[in-house]
Amino acid sequence: QVQLEESGGGLAQPGGSLRLSCVALGRIFGVNSMGWYRQVPGKDRELVASMSLRSGRKSYIDPVRGRFTISGDRAKNTVYLQMNNLQIEDTAVYYCHANIDYELYYLDHWGQGTQVTVSP
């Protein structure tokens, strides 16, 4: 079974930076896309950034565009999220997501989540 292992996150001051990493482990035929979602209590989980590991195409939500950068390593089934100029409203639990190719079908997988707290 495929597992997504997240690392990074933690506490930062406004204007600071953090970096999240996520690696897909297990028997994988291929990874179509990987990305990061975030969720705060009482709200729906929202997509922050995603990228296709096949084409390299990236997408961001408007609040993070220009501050966050998603990158990935297809050979390592890994995705990163560099978060710069963090704002208090970026505080959330961040979840790694991956769409895994099992050759005959695709499945979505989620990480357990990592807390990002931005506070003075």
Side-chain angles (χ1 to χ4, degrees), residues 31-38 46-62 64-65 68-73 78-82 94-99 108-110:
V31 179
N32 293 321
S33 65
M34 296 185 77
W36 294 92
Y37 286 68
R38 66 186 181 187
E46 66 171 352
L47 175 64
V48 176
S50 67
M51 72 174 294
S52 166
L53 293 192
R54 298 184 185 276
S55 70
R57 180 179 178 182
K58 303 176 183 181
S59 64
Y60 302 90
I61 57 171
D62 287 341
V64 308
R65 188 172 289 112
F68 292 8
T69 302
I70 190 169
S71 59
D73 187 330
T78 300
V79 68
Y80 308 95
L81 185 67
Q82 178 65 44
Y94 284 70
Y95 295 90
C96 178
H97 168 268
N99 182 258
D108 288 325
H109 292 268
W110 294 91

Side-chain angles (χ1 to χ4, degrees), residues 39-50:
Q39 188 171 25
V40 297
K43 292 190 177 181
D44 293 334
R45 190 174 297 185
E46 66 171 352
L47 175 64
V48 176
S50 67

